[in-house]
């Protein structure tokens, strides 16, 4: 398949450029009979908007979503759910000077190499605006997951090198930066201010925890649950690393300390594995972390080449975020929702009840 | 799709349990006219055998591969290439005591939850023996890649917490542990001895570098090259983290230091990105690192439950490796070969020459 | 995959109910750099509108299409091409009496059984309006095909039991009923009048010829070109039979008369095979025929049951066509365009020039 | 995907050339816990062997099948089921004279055009021997179907232009030619003798009926049940036409006669539709018919060209069947089993019981 479809049974196909007419997508495979309202999508999209903390752009984006199909009298019908957000407030002229230049660290060069031409306005298809479709679809997946008792939490765990000191996943979505720790927020504010003064940008680490996942999800040997999560998250812009459970720390542990002893009732004495054993959910909380690189749009002069291959310099103006965090966090959350929804339907094909074996 | 098929156009489907009749696979989509011999597969499989360093089992595995189809008079015909390795030297009785027990840190529990029953002998489908098919298929991919000037290097970068001090990727495959640094080998030998004495196991970090990849491979927004590599590698047993380029270090960098300035000729002043921009290859070397957890088969008593849910202890005997490294390294290498081969064919569908835009 | 995505490399995903907000789709995988305008799609959709002959509804459907993405400065960019038609002129109240009834011969019963609920207005997802997306996408495929010298012709070959006496495929699209034979049109007009008077409906046979297809398209053993055409066409509403070349007549022929002798230059002495040998295009014209059943919306009382399972009668009012022909003919044409475009890209992955072997 | 994988959730991937080492396949996605024995596959393969009537070759083919994985202690484990048949009794030299010639009506020319080279021995991948994998996989599907009360019947309905006069589907598999009508067998014997004397070959029509299918299977709008059946059957060698229910006869019917009135209990007053409405099973018997062309291997001199493009004549010797019927009938049956098994698992993902809505 070409690259704009995600998932096997709960399947999302997306479209849209930053400065095109609209961005949106089609969710195919959502079971019939679920309660779904436009507000479910809008609420999720609102969390993706600027203004969740000091690191985001001053652009005003309304991003009003419309559902075009697949819902009748408030319920999903089992047919494709199409949705879209009309692009407004575009300042395409802001990008005129970038028409023939490749911004370092951006997708410009790759797209040009791949397709031989590109829509340079606002990054075109490589813009962060394509994530609108991911977040809206994630909200649809969340409705399915909620009906199965599954909930996905996401938070910022580190920003500009400053980690949180506690993990309060349940409260993160209501805080600036979606921070897992309220106490670190002033430090992050300072760090962001300093970076802005330096004309520089910051990276960080995001964390997703998925609770209530029944044991048994994941399809060895290639569609393992951890493989699908890594695929889903590494495909989000700016992500350069993905960890499940202890991740790279596990590489330095010994087997005796890294194993999670199994207890009666299908509980575990620890969760180094991050809720996944042999690529299959164990019933524990699923824990995933992503490394998010600093946004490449630094407001400094940078060396590059133009589309003719000649040396040039580029200075990125426009209205840009200082870090992908926090805006990427609802996106990471949505991708995890999509993966689990898909794996849930995959397991249902077995004709076994969800979580039938969870209790001994 | 169920989980045992990998790739879109260069596609591998695998089968086989540890103590079943055979393990093997079918490669579908390999272009016609390539020179391919059984020896190409055997040579790759021999690198996966025990004996590449002090950390591996004393089991003797012949693992002789047979090609059953798709090759005629020494050339690929474009039809499916089936191959298999007959399982020999099985000691199924070694696993009798594990029949009703879930080994902590293993796939036992997940498989039982998923399917309601399992082939417990040697881990069944979750055994490392399933990677034989990955390695053999990777060798077929390598023939295609070599014809396009692409070569995949793999090495061990860290073992038991001891990192290499240099990266000589070209020589690693001929060294114990596939070490990227000869000088660190005695230290690793010591670390392994100590772990064996402790009745414990070790983890480590692997590194793959892919050279000669033309710019333009990868299919945004979901089938990006980095997403596919993360998917491919996180799906290999024992991998708990994947990084592209600077990975988690990029999360602590600033944009001004993390960007790779672009130079005339499509070269770059640095490679923090690991050869991938916006999910598309840039023509630079592609760099991927994996965190490998310690093997869970520690020869100590561990707490667990049986298939009835009752508390139990398990002690794993048999012939086991002390670390997945080095044996997983040819597997990681193979998965990268499969991904790049697939993306290469995907790009060819565009009807543009491979690497047409590499030179300005 | 759920059922609303078509194709492997040239891929269409569609959405939309008859009386929902819009119908449309996303074409993913169209190569970059092709000239594409909204008019290309609109022109194709206009051929699907009522008014191509005496057998169609008096409904006025503007069906104005909008492209939302994937085209920049008049050229395809290689990113997804989304398009949609806003539904207007809906008379949902016309369908109120059908809310709890299953119309015989319609999809009502199947949808209810499958999903447990349905959007009954105008047939919902099972309405002929979903074919708008097929036709629009077919127009995009046609741009790709034209660039490779391939052209798809479609015509009506038989209506209400009255066959054509000549096959002028090139002129059919400009005639009433898309008739392959001008002389038969008055007879068809009479047949349609008689059926209308009888309060009955008619079926017929459509024919598609695809010219300029290079030898070599089709992917044995399951994705053969004929298999894909049959799949594409049998999936269009009202189609109950598909033939390639001589079709069912071949079942009564002998081998000596049915074989097509091969001549120097890769020509053939006859074309009983319909341009496909062993599932692969031979370079001859591809010939496909479809049996189209009479439209089930006869304006008579019919026996049925309601959604509670009780006996009932139903009489279908509203504005309905008398035959799926001619309106289904642009749809059959579009499906063939989509199949050939997909198979063309599949063959390009081989890295061999299109039609490289056509000339000896 | 390349062309050698069939199905979405119940998925078959096949391999093998006529004169290669083996033919076989991998079934991925078969649910765990089903009773499956090698004999289930062997029994189905034995029906595919020569000797089911007067029209088949005198070749002796043992075709002993081996299961290599996915079954443990007599039960499917949910992991891939690989199986293979070693090729024996090959007379490759019989085909030496065909090395550089394209047999008219065969796949030779298409394969050469597609791949640029081919394994000419016995047709290579285009040989009827590839259907061994289809039949073996169909037998696995049948185990799943039987557990859901679904049974697939297949028969010959017409041979050499002589149709049956009754349809006794339940008895056909035990008769010569798999004839649906015992009384027609002597006529077919005569017809076959006459054709042999004429050095010619015959075609015919096959019929499959699928009973016990719950209402609700099929995935509109592209993966409809009829679309998938047409795809499955048109992809079998020698099939040139596929009909569902009344097929081409429906094109000549009127709506009032072609509609099937719906009766309380989800029964129908007739079955013109062949058990499928709107692409979804209605709970009625599913009826499919295939046109099978005469085998192109007529033992006469035929005009052709060689691989250099020069005019030539070819005379096919070797041991060949006189008609694809009856040997293709177990293949047609198997393809239908595979389709229904796949659609059954697709429907299960909905989380609704199989056939939950069948009874009102």
């Amino acid at each position: 398949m070409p690259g704009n479809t995600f998932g096997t049974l709960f399947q999302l196909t997306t479209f849209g450029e930053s400065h095109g007419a609209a961005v949106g997508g089609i969710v195919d495979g959502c079971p019939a009979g679920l309660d779904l309202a436009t507000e479910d999508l809008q609420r999720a999209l609102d969390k993706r908007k600027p203004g969740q903390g000091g690191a985001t752009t001053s652009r005003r984006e309304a991003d009003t979503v419309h559902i075009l199909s697949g819902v009748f009298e408030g319920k999903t019908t089992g047919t494709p759910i199409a949705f879209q957000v009309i692009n407004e407030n575009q300042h395409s002229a802001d990008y005129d000077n970038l028409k023939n230049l490749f911004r370092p660290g951006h997708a410009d060069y790759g797209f040009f190499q791949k397709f031989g031409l590109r829509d340079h306005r606002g990054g075109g298809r490589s813009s962060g605006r394509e994530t609108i479709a991911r977040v809206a679809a994630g909200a649809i997946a969340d409705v399915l997951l909620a009906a199965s008792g599954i909930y996905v939490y996401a938070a910022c765990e580190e920003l500009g090198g400053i980690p949180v000191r506690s993990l309060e996943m349940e409260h993160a979505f209501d805080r600036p930066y979606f921070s897992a720790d309220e106490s670190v927020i002033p430090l992050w504010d300072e760090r962001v201010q300093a970076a802005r003064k330096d004309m520089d940008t910051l990276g960080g680490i995001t964390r997703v925890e998925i609770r209530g996942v029944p044991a048994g999800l994941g399809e060895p040997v290639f569609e393992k649950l951890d493989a699908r999560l890594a695929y889903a998250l590494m495909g989000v812009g700016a992500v350069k690393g993905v960890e499940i459970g202890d991740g790279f720390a596990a590489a330095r542990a010994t087997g005796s300390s890294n194993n999670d002893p199994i207890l009666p009732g299908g509980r575990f004495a620890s969760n180094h594995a991050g809720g996944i054993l042999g690529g299959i959910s164990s019933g524990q909380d699923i824990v995933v972390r992503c490394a998010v690189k600093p946004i490449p749009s630094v407001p400094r002069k940078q060396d590059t080449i133009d589309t003719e291959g000649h040396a040039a310099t580029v200075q990125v103006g426009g209205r840009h975020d200082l870090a992908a965090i926090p805006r990427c966090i609802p996106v990471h959350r949505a991708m995890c929702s999509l993966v689990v929804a898909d794996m849930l339907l995959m397991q249902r094909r077995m004709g076994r009840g969800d979580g039938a074996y969870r209790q001994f």
Side-chain angles (χ1 to χ4, degrees), chain A:
Chain A
M1 302 186 300
N4 297 281
T5 295
F6 182 88
T8 302
L9 292 182
F10 191 97
Q11 193 168 65
L12 168 67
T13 302
T14 73
F15 71 90
E17 280 79 37
S18 177
H19 292 223
V23 294
I26 300 173
V27 167
D28 193 14
C30 184
L34 295 170
D35 293 314
L36 184 71
T38 304
E39 291 69 43
D40 294 316
L41 281 65
Q42 191 64 57
R43 204 176 313 118
L45 287 176
D46 288 348
K47 283 291 177 189
R48 188 197 155 276
K49 278 191 210 169
Q52 304 292 329
T56 57
T57 172
S58 59
R59 274 176 295 181
R60 196 188 118 264
E61 303 183 36
D63 292 350
T64 305
V65 70
H66 296 278
I67 293 179
L68 303 177
S69 66
V71 180
F72 180 56
E73 299 181 342
K75 291 204 181 292
T76 58
T77 61
T79 63
I81 303 168
F83 56 84
Q84 67 182 27
V85 169
I86 305 292
N87 285 326
E88 296 169 351
N89 191 27
Q90 301 162 340
H91 295 209
S92 296
D94 285 4
Y95 295 88
D96 279 358
N97 64 321
L98 298 174
K99 188 173 177 175
N100 299 313
L101 294 177
F102 304 120
R103 292 168 298 168
H106 271 281
D108 302 353
Y109 183 78
F111 267 73
F112 185 77
Q113 291 282 14
K114 181 168 198 67
F115 296 115
L117 54 85
R118 67 190 172 100
D119 179 352
H120 68 278
R121 301 165 305 163
R125 181 68 177 151
S126 71
S127 162
R129 280 192 72 73
E130 63 91 354
T131 63
I132 285 175
R134 301 178 188 237
V135 171
I140 300 171
D142 282 339
V143 168
L144 172 63
L145 295 182
S148 294
I150 302 170
Y151 199 78
V152 185
Y153 296 91
C156 182
E157 205 186 288
E158 181 174 316
L159 185 70
I162 303 172
V164 294
R165 289 162 294 199
S166 64
L167 286 171
E168 298 151 6
M169 298 300 294
E170 300 88 341
H171 303 298
F173 244 53
D174 297 322
R175 292 182 182 147
Y177 306 99
F178 303 118
S179 177
D181 170 13
E182 192 147 32
S183 74
V184 83
I185 294 173
L187 303 179
W188 288 356
D189 281 336
E190 271 177 54
R191 186 73 192 85
V192 165
Q193 299 264 20
R196 182 162 286 132
K197 209 170 134 197
D198 280 358
M199 301 180 71
D200 218 331
T201 59
L202 299 174
I205 296 174
T206 67
R207 180 188 189 90
V208 178
E209 292 192 15
I210 318 170
R211 302 187 183 165
V213 178
L217 304 197
E219 304 291 326
V221 296
F222 295 121
E223 306 281 356
K224 291 175 177 173
L225 184 53
D226 41 6
R228 288 293 290 271
L229 288 167
Y231 158 72
L233 291 163
M234 194 70 94
V236 178
V239 174
K240 301 301 286 184
V242 178
E243 293 184 324
I244 306 290
D246 284 2
F248 277 83
R252 282 136 198 165
T254 58
S256 60
S257 64
N258 188 63
N259 284 349
D260 300 309
I262 313 178
L263 308 179
R267 290 172 301 110
F268 290 79
S270 55
N271 189 12
H272 298 291
I276 302 176
L277 283 173
I280 300 172
S281 63
S282 66
Q284 287 197 282
D285 290 350
I286 291 169
V287 179
V288 199
R289 298 165 81 249
C290 291
V292 179
K293 76 171 184 178
I295 277 193
S297 294
V298 293
R300 306 181 182 187
K301 267 201 178 139
Q302 300 180 78
D303 286 330
T304 188
I305 57 174
D306 61 22
T307 52
E308 302 297 314
H310 302 128
T313 59
V314 64
Q315 185 162 6
V316 184
R319 301 154 298 162
H320 290 285
D321 293 334
L322 193 114
I325 290 170
R327 296 190 66 194
C328 69
I329 292 176
V331 182
H332 293 193
R333 185 182 178 284
M335 295 312 294
C336 292
S337 295
L338 290 169
V339 168
V340 177
D342 197 25
M343 292 288 105
L344 187 71
L345 298 188
M346 286 297 282
Q347 179 67 355
R348 279 190 189 165
R349 83 184 193 280
M350 303 283 188
R352 304 177 63 207
D354 296 354
Y357 287 75
R358 289 179 77 187
Q359 302 303 329
F360 287 92

